Amino acid sequence: MQILINKMDKLKKDFLDKVGGNEINEIAQILDKVDKFGLNVEVVYHALRTIKENKCITPLLALQIAAEDWDI
């Protein structure tokens, strides 16, 4: 069990190192805005599909595109 916890901690650290704190704040702002419109599932699904189609896209950019496509 401890090995799994250590692995998850490393994944979290690697993710935060990769995207950076400022980008996380922007993602949180977009998700808060999307939540007010009740379109969480739609926007996140659209963002994930965008990432799947273009592996070079960042999570922030994918969410920005998805929110814009849903007129948010």
Side-chain angles (χ1 to χ4, degrees):
M1 185 66 165
Q2 185 62 34
I3 293 171
L4 181 60
I5 291 170
N6 290 342
K7 199 175 243 189
M8 290 302 295
D9 288 343
K10 182 180 177 348
L11 287 173
K12 284 194 270 184
K13 183 187 177 311
D14 290 346
F15 175 76
L16 291 174
D17 288 346
K18 182 178 178 183
V19 275
N22 190 40
E23 191 166 333
I24 294 294
N25 289 334
E26 291 181 51
I27 288 171
Q29 289 175 356
I30 291 171
L31 292 175
D32 285 343
K33 195 173 184 182
V34 165
D35 188 47
K36 291 177 184 173
F37 286 88
L39 293 170
N40 299 31
V41 173
E42 293 84 353
V43 171
V44 170
Y45 177 77
H46 187 87
L48 290 172
R49 286 195 57 176
T50 302
I51 291 171
K52 184 177 179 182
E53 293 169 4
N54 184 351
K55 304 286 186 207
C56 296
I57 200 165
T58 66
L60 175 59
L61 182 56
L63 282 170
Q64 289 170 330
I65 291 168
E68 180 69 28
D69 286 349
W70 281 92
D71 296 326
I72 297 173

